[in-house]
Tab-separated table of all heavy atoms in Angstrom:
chain	number	residue	atom	x	y	z
A	120	ALA	N	-2.738	12.627	4.033
A	120	ALA	CA	-3.493	12.684	2.828
A	120	ALA	C	-4.904	13.395	3.014
A	120	ALA	O	-5.237	14.256	2.158
A	120	ALA	CB	-3.815	11.296	2.249
A	121	ARG	N	-5.341	13.189	4.261
A	121	ARG	CA	-6.548	13.947	4.560
A	121	ARG	C	-6.482	15.435	4.756
A	121	ARG	O	-7.322	16.175	4.457
A	121	ARG	CB	-7.221	13.419	5.855
A	121	ARG	CG	-7.840	11.955	5.607
A	121	ARG	CD	-8.326	11.419	6.955
A	121	ARG	NE	-8.946	9.997	6.700
A	121	ARG	CZ	-9.232	9.279	7.585
A	121	ARG	NH1	-9.040	9.516	8.981
A	121	ARG	NH2	-9.776	8.121	7.396
A	122	THR	N	-5.239	15.823	5.039
A	122	THR	CA	-5.036	17.314	5.377
A	122	THR	C	-4.890	18.027	4.003
A	122	THR	O	-4.789	19.259	3.879
A	122	THR	CB	-3.707	17.522	6.088
A	122	THR	OG1	-2.571	16.926	5.365
A	122	THR	CG2	-3.808	16.961	7.438
A	123	ALA	N	-4.809	17.247	2.809
A	123	ALA	CA	-4.677	17.768	1.596
A	123	ALA	C	-5.928	18.584	1.198
A	123	ALA	O	-5.856	19.609	0.543
A	123	ALA	CB	-4.504	16.706	0.375
A	124	THR	N	-7.044	18.172	1.775
A	124	THR	CA	-8.355	18.931	1.438
A	124	THR	C	-8.226	20.467	2.222
A	124	THR	O	-9.072	21.246	1.988
A	124	THR	CB	-9.486	18.171	2.098
A	124	THR	OG1	-9.304	17.900	3.494
A	124	THR	CG2	-9.590	16.938	1.300
A	125	GLN	N	-7.275	20.532	3.187
A	125	GLN	CA	-7.249	21.725	3.999
A	125	GLN	C	-6.091	22.669	3.400
A	125	GLN	O	-5.740	23.627	4.064
A	125	GLN	CB	-7.066	21.510	5.447
A	125	GLN	CG	-8.229	20.682	6.007
A	125	GLN	CD	-7.938	20.268	7.441
A	125	GLN	OE1	-6.799	20.563	7.969
A	125	GLN	NE2	-8.825	19.550	8.123
A	126	GLY	N	-5.513	22.325	2.363
A	126	GLY	CA	-4.475	23.160	1.593
A	126	GLY	C	-3.093	22.871	2.046
A	126	GLY	O	-2.205	23.671	1.969
A	127	ASP	N	-2.851	21.679	2.938
A	127	ASP	CA	-1.548	21.563	3.471
A	127	ASP	C	-0.697	20.721	2.277
A	127	ASP	O	-0.965	19.640	1.987
A	127	ASP	CB	-1.494	20.560	4.669
A	127	ASP	CG	-0.063	20.291	5.162
A	127	ASP	OD1	0.782	20.939	4.680
A	127	ASP	OD2	-0.079	19.538	6.145
A	128	MET	N	0.243	21.486	1.678
A	128	MET	CA	1.062	20.952	0.567
A	128	MET	C	2.445	20.336	1.045
A	128	MET	O	3.322	20.356	0.189
A	128	MET	CB	1.075	21.970	-0.554
A	128	MET	CG	-0.013	22.333	-1.168
A	128	MET	SD	-0.791	20.891	-2.062
A	128	MET	CE	-2.223	20.484	-1.074
A	129	SER	N	2.540	20.252	2.325
A	129	SER	CA	3.886	19.765	2.789
A	129	SER	C	4.077	18.340	2.254
A	129	SER	O	3.337	17.447	2.128
A	129	SER	CB	3.895	19.730	4.384
A	129	SER	OG	5.178	19.085	4.804
A	130	MET	N	5.464	18.094	1.946
A	130	MET	CA	5.855	16.792	1.422
A	130	MET	C	6.647	16.059	2.416
A	130	MET	O	7.482	15.056	2.061
A	130	MET	CB	6.620	16.998	0.147
A	130	MET	CG	5.941	17.619	-0.955
A	130	MET	SD	4.648	16.556	-1.564
A	130	MET	CE	5.501	15.232	-2.116
A	131	GLU	N	6.708	16.475	3.734
A	131	GLU	CA	7.454	15.834	4.819
A	131	GLU	C	7.135	14.438	4.837
A	131	GLU	O	7.989	13.473	5.105
A	131	GLU	CB	7.205	16.414	6.090
A	131	GLU	CG	7.863	17.946	6.142
A	131	GLU	CD	9.243	17.931	6.057
A	131	GLU	OE1	10.040	16.946	6.579
A	131	GLU	OE2	9.877	18.802	5.420
A	132	TRP	N	5.809	13.994	4.579
A	132	TRP	CA	5.276	12.683	4.769
A	132	TRP	C	5.972	11.673	3.788
A	132	TRP	O	6.062	10.526	4.107
A	132	TRP	CB	3.837	12.597	4.591
A	132	TRP	CG	3.340	13.098	3.335
A	132	TRP	CD1	3.107	14.363	2.909
A	132	TRP	CD2	3.141	12.278	2.307
A	132	TRP	NE1	2.758	14.410	1.556
A	132	TRP	CE2	2.661	13.058	1.144
A	132	TRP	CE3	3.118	10.961	1.952
A	132	TRP	CZ2	2.269	12.698	-0.033
A	132	TRP	CZ3	2.665	10.356	0.768
A	132	TRP	CH2	2.396	11.273	-0.323
A	133	LEU	N	6.398	12.200	2.612
A	133	LEU	CA	6.863	11.420	1.568
A	133	LEU	C	8.380	11.127	1.691
A	133	LEU	O	8.923	10.222	1.020
A	133	LEU	CB	6.494	11.950	0.213
A	133	LEU	CG	6.749	11.183	-1.079
A	133	LEU	CD1	5.744	9.903	-0.971
A	133	LEU	CD2	6.439	11.904	-2.255
A	134	LYS	N	9.077	12.004	2.440
A	134	LYS	CA	10.537	11.852	2.620
A	134	LYS	C	11.015	10.459	3.058
A	134	LYS	O	12.018	10.009	2.467
A	134	LYS	CB	11.113	12.887	3.531
A	134	LYS	CG	10.935	14.273	2.872
A	134	LYS	CD	11.664	15.407	3.736
A	134	LYS	CE	11.481	16.724	3.103
A	134	LYS	NZ	12.193	17.808	3.988
A	135	PRO	N	10.481	9.774	3.951
A	135	PRO	CA	10.948	8.471	4.415
A	135	PRO	C	10.956	7.383	3.243
A	135	PRO	O	11.695	6.527	3.241
A	135	PRO	CB	9.965	7.916	5.476
A	135	PRO	CG	9.384	9.199	5.987
A	135	PRO	CD	9.331	10.193	4.891
A	136	PHE	N	10.265	7.733	2.261
A	136	PHE	CA	10.121	6.710	0.989
A	136	PHE	C	11.104	7.140	-0.151
A	136	PHE	O	11.232	6.508	-1.073
A	136	PHE	CB	8.645	6.721	0.398
A	136	PHE	CG	7.714	6.224	1.406
A	136	PHE	CD1	6.913	7.276	2.092
A	136	PHE	CD2	7.429	4.863	1.614
A	136	PHE	CE1	5.945	6.813	3.036
A	136	PHE	CE2	6.487	4.511	2.555
A	136	PHE	CZ	5.780	5.541	3.371
A	137	MET	N	11.925	8.258	0.150
A	137	MET	CA	12.749	8.760	-1.014
A	137	MET	C	14.192	8.621	-0.645
A	137	MET	O	14.560	8.254	0.480
A	137	MET	CB	12.482	10.316	-1.127
A	137	MET	CG	10.958	10.556	-1.316
A	137	MET	SD	10.615	12.380	-1.507
A	137	MET	CE	10.975	12.668	-3.318
A	138	THR	N	15.006	8.690	-1.758
A	138	THR	CA	16.401	8.567	-1.647
A	138	THR	C	17.162	9.893	-1.939
A	138	THR	O	16.651	10.655	-2.765
A	138	THR	CB	16.989	7.452	-2.586
A	138	THR	OG1	16.529	7.750	-3.904
A	138	THR	CG2	16.429	6.085	-2.187
A	139	ASP	N	18.349	10.080	-1.373
A	139	ASP	CA	19.051	11.316	-1.499
A	139	ASP	C	19.839	11.376	-2.759
A	139	ASP	O	20.494	10.288	-3.143
A	139	ASP	CB	19.895	11.539	-0.307
A	139	ASP	CG	20.498	12.945	-0.229
A	139	ASP	OD1	19.926	13.959	0.260
A	139	ASP	OD2	21.725	13.090	-0.770
A	140	ARG	N	20.059	12.507	-3.405
A	140	ARG	CA	20.825	12.778	-4.511
A	140	ARG	C	21.387	14.119	-4.580
A	140	ARG	O	20.662	14.989	-4.267
A	140	ARG	CB	20.131	12.368	-5.786
A	140	ARG	CG	21.077	12.297	-7.175
A	140	ARG	CD	20.142	12.123	-8.403
A	140	ARG	NE	19.487	10.739	-8.259
A	140	ARG	CZ	18.540	10.296	-8.997
A	140	ARG	NH1	18.140	11.144	-9.902
A	140	ARG	NH2	18.005	9.097	-8.883
A	141	LYS	N	22.744	14.293	-5.080
A	141	LYS	CA	23.263	15.630	-5.168
A	141	LYS	C	23.598	15.992	-6.579
A	141	LYS	O	23.862	15.096	-7.388
A	141	LYS	CB	24.585	15.712	-4.327
A	141	LYS	CG	24.406	15.359	-2.809
A	141	LYS	CD	25.791	15.542	-1.993
A	141	LYS	CE	25.572	15.269	-0.586
A	141	LYS	NZ	26.816	15.316	0.165
A	142	TYR	N	23.475	17.359	-6.730
A	142	TYR	CA	23.763	17.894	-8.135
A	142	TYR	C	24.739	19.117	-7.976
A	142	TYR	O	24.587	19.826	-6.967
A	142	TYR	CB	22.487	18.427	-8.903
A	142	TYR	CG	21.542	17.129	-9.296
A	142	TYR	CD1	20.514	16.653	-8.626
A	142	TYR	CD2	22.023	16.512	-10.593
A	142	TYR	CE1	19.816	15.629	-9.081
A	142	TYR	CE2	21.130	15.439	-10.990
A	142	TYR	CZ	20.069	15.022	-10.219
A	142	TYR	OH	19.335	13.887	-10.664
A	143	ARG	N	25.460	19.319	-9.056
A	143	ARG	CA	26.350	20.493	-9.051
A	143	ARG	C	25.776	21.537	-10.170
A	143	ARG	O	24.995	21.206	-10.915
A	143	ARG	CB	27.742	20.105	-9.503
A	143	ARG	CG	28.453	19.249	-8.331
A	143	ARG	CD	29.885	18.918	-8.638
A	143	ARG	NE	30.596	18.223	-7.631
A	143	ARG	CZ	31.082	18.781	-6.610
A	143	ARG	NH1	31.067	19.993	-6.461
A	143	ARG	NH2	31.691	17.953	-5.662
A	144	LYS	N	26.285	22.678	-9.952
A	144	LYS	CA	25.910	23.750	-10.921
A	144	LYS	C	26.234	23.458	-12.324
A	144	LYS	O	27.291	22.977	-12.604
A	144	LYS	CB	26.628	25.126	-10.570
A	144	LYS	CG	26.245	26.280	-11.387
A	144	LYS	CD	26.962	27.525	-10.941
A	144	LYS	CE	26.478	28.698	-11.905
A	144	LYS	NZ	27.269	29.856	-11.408
A	145	GLY	N	25.224	23.599	-13.216
A	145	GLY	CA	25.250	23.249	-14.619
A	145	GLY	C	24.821	21.852	-14.979
A	145	GLY	O	24.618	21.573	-16.259
A	146	ASP	N	24.528	20.998	-13.941
A	146	ASP	CA	24.105	19.691	-14.266
A	146	ASP	C	22.520	19.850	-14.760
A	146	ASP	O	21.772	20.608	-14.284
A	146	ASP	CB	24.026	18.731	-12.994
A	146	ASP	CG	25.458	18.481	-12.635
A	146	ASP	OD1	26.292	18.492	-13.376
A	146	ASP	OD2	25.580	17.940	-11.354
A	147	ILE	N	22.315	18.931	-15.667
A	147	ILE	CA	20.869	18.835	-16.187
A	147	ILE	C	20.104	17.707	-15.624
A	147	ILE	O	20.566	16.478	-15.673
A	147	ILE	CB	20.860	18.629	-17.764
A	147	ILE	CG1	21.621	19.815	-18.496
A	147	ILE	CG2	19.413	18.558	-18.204
A	147	ILE	CD1	21.009	21.043	-18.206
A	148	LEU	N	19.190	17.998	-14.763
A	148	LEU	CA	18.310	17.014	-14.090
A	148	LEU	C	17.470	16.128	-15.038
A	148	LEU	O	17.406	14.957	-14.762
A	148	LEU	CB	17.570	17.525	-12.939
A	148	LEU	CG	18.354	17.948	-11.718
A	148	LEU	CD1	19.262	19.197	-11.929
A	148	LEU	CD2	17.302	18.257	-10.600
A	149	MET	N	16.942	16.817	-15.948
A	149	MET	CA	16.012	16.187	-16.990
A	149	MET	C	15.843	17.028	-18.097
A	149	MET	O	16.045	18.216	-18.082
A	149	MET	CB	14.650	15.854	-16.302
A	149	MET	CG	13.844	17.138	-15.951
A	149	MET	SD	12.403	16.716	-14.884
A	149	MET	CE	13.132	16.202	-13.436
A	150	ARG	N	15.620	16.412	-19.238
A	150	ARG	CA	15.399	17.129	-20.573
A	150	ARG	C	13.949	16.893	-21.071
A	150	ARG	O	13.341	15.737	-20.891
A	150	ARG	CB	16.427	16.710	-21.608
A	150	ARG	CG	17.792	17.084	-21.142
A	150	ARG	CD	18.716	16.749	-22.281
A	150	ARG	NE	20.190	16.988	-21.966
A	150	ARG	CZ	20.760	18.083	-22.003
A	150	ARG	NH1	20.083	19.170	-22.630
A	150	ARG	NH2	22.041	18.266	-21.764
A	151	LYS	N	13.448	17.933	-21.670
A	151	LYS	CA	12.062	17.772	-22.105
A	151	LYS	C	12.014	16.688	-23.229
A	151	LYS	O	12.854	16.641	-24.166
A	151	LYS	CB	11.634	19.060	-22.753
A	151	LYS	CG	10.114	19.100	-23.212
A	151	LYS	CD	9.763	20.447	-23.767
A	151	LYS	CE	8.304	20.542	-24.220
A	151	LYS	NZ	7.861	21.923	-24.632
A	152	GLY	N	11.036	15.800	-23.014
A	152	GLY	CA	10.764	14.756	-24.004
A	152	GLY	C	11.476	13.471	-23.689
A	152	GLY	O	11.169	12.296	-24.248
A	153	ASP	N	12.368	13.566	-22.610
A	153	ASP	CA	13.115	12.289	-22.136
A	153	ASP	C	11.971	11.341	-21.384
A	153	ASP	O	11.144	11.827	-20.915
A	153	ASP	CB	14.151	12.596	-21.388
A	153	ASP	CG	15.454	13.203	-22.016
A	153	ASP	OD1	15.456	13.046	-23.353
A	153	ASP	OD2	16.246	13.699	-21.381
A	154	ALA	N	12.371	10.038	-21.517
A	154	ALA	CA	11.587	9.086	-20.605
A	154	ALA	C	11.650	9.432	-19.167
A	154	ALA	O	12.737	9.760	-18.641
A	154	ALA	CB	11.979	7.691	-20.877
A	155	ALA	N	10.544	9.396	-18.515
A	155	ALA	CA	10.466	9.823	-17.021
A	155	ALA	C	10.236	8.605	-16.218
A	155	ALA	O	9.213	7.778	-16.538
A	155	ALA	CB	9.364	10.902	-16.805
A	156	ASN	N	10.993	8.412	-15.142
A	156	ASN	CA	10.724	7.284	-14.291
A	156	ASN	C	10.821	7.679	-12.754
A	156	ASN	O	10.723	6.642	-11.864
A	156	ASN	CB	11.556	6.142	-14.646
A	156	ASN	CG	13.123	6.564	-14.487
A	156	ASN	OD1	13.440	7.551	-13.991
A	156	ASN	ND2	14.005	5.749	-15.065
A	157	GLU	N	11.000	8.895	-12.493
A	157	GLU	CA	11.086	9.267	-11.025
A	157	GLU	C	10.586	10.716	-10.843
A	157	GLU	O	10.626	11.458	-11.780
A	157	GLU	CB	12.486	9.053	-10.599
A	157	GLU	CG	13.429	9.948	-11.180
A	157	GLU	CD	14.900	9.753	-10.712
A	157	GLU	OE1	15.161	8.839	-9.908
A	157	GLU	OE2	15.839	10.607	-11.152
A	158	MET	N	10.279	11.049	-9.444
A	158	MET	CA	9.894	12.299	-9.121
A	158	MET	C	10.859	12.789	-8.238
A	158	MET	O	11.552	12.033	-7.479
A	158	MET	CB	8.500	12.367	-8.520
A	158	MET	CG	7.995	13.735	-8.150
A	158	MET	SD	6.255	13.573	-7.463
A	158	MET	CE	6.654	12.784	-5.903
A	159	LEU	N	11.078	14.136	-8.174
A	159	LEU	CA	12.142	14.783	-7.430
A	159	LEU	C	11.585	15.861	-6.537
A	159	LEU	O	10.694	16.572	-6.884
A	159	LEU	CB	13.381	15.248	-8.220
A	159	LEU	CG	14.021	14.258	-9.231
A	159	LEU	CD1	13.402	14.169	-10.582
A	159	LEU	CD2	15.527	14.792	-9.363
A	160	LEU	N	12.224	15.887	-5.305
A	160	LEU	CA	11.888	16.997	-4.441
A	160	LEU	C	13.147	17.870	-4.067
A	160	LEU	O	14.059	17.220	-3.535
A	160	LEU	CB	11.209	16.545	-3.157
A	160	LEU	CG	10.915	17.382	-2.037
A	160	LEU	CD1	9.807	18.403	-2.460
A	160	LEU	CD2	10.443	16.703	-0.740
A	161	THR	N	13.184	19.104	-4.321
A	161	THR	CA	14.303	19.974	-4.074
A	161	THR	C	14.419	20.135	-2.515
A	161	THR	O	13.525	20.398	-1.767
A	161	THR	CB	14.170	21.306	-4.604
A	161	THR	OG1	13.085	21.915	-4.190
A	161	THR	CG2	14.089	21.128	-6.234
A	162	VAL	N	15.653	20.060	-1.937
A	162	VAL	CA	15.959	20.136	-0.545
A	162	VAL	C	16.799	21.410	-0.389
A	162	VAL	O	16.477	22.280	0.422
A	162	VAL	CB	16.614	18.841	-0.032
A	162	VAL	CG1	16.945	19.080	1.559
A	162	VAL	CG2	15.848	17.729	-0.268
A	163	THR	N	18.066	21.353	-1.039
A	163	THR	CA	18.835	22.577	-1.005
A	163	THR	C	19.271	23.121	-2.457
A	163	THR	O	18.973	22.280	-3.311
A	163	THR	CB	20.065	22.317	-0.119
A	163	THR	OG1	20.860	21.282	-0.821
A	163	THR	CG2	19.774	21.995	1.177
A	164	GLY	N	19.826	24.297	-2.659
A	164	GLY	CA	20.301	24.722	-3.906
A	164	GLY	C	19.163	25.212	-4.690
A	164	GLY	O	17.972	25.517	-4.252
A	165	LYS	N	19.510	25.653	-5.942
A	165	LYS	CA	18.509	26.242	-6.858
A	165	LYS	C	18.572	25.518	-8.110
A	165	LYS	O	19.591	25.022	-8.657
A	165	LYS	CB	18.738	27.774	-7.105
A	165	LYS	CG	18.643	28.639	-5.856
A	165	LYS	CD	19.019	30.062	-6.103
A	165	LYS	CE	18.795	30.923	-4.959
A	165	LYS	NZ	19.121	32.406	-5.233
Side-chain angles (χ1 to χ4, degrees):
R121 287 175 177 170
T122 60
T124 58
Q125 302 174 357
D127 184 4
M128 295 293 107
S129 173
M130 296 297 294
E131 293 294 326
W132 61 275
L133 195 57
K134 289 183 178 180
F136 301 94
M137 307 180 82
T138 56
D139 189 85
R140 186 182 299 166
K141 295 181 179 179
Y142 287 98
R143 295 184 177 276
K144 182 179 179 179
D146 290 344
I147 301 297
L148 282 69
M149 61 188 71
R150 296 184 184 276
K151 185 177 181 179
D153 288 349
N156 56 14
E157 63 181 4
M158 183 177 71
L159 300 86
L160 175 67
T161 60
V162 180
T163 61
K165 293 182 180 180

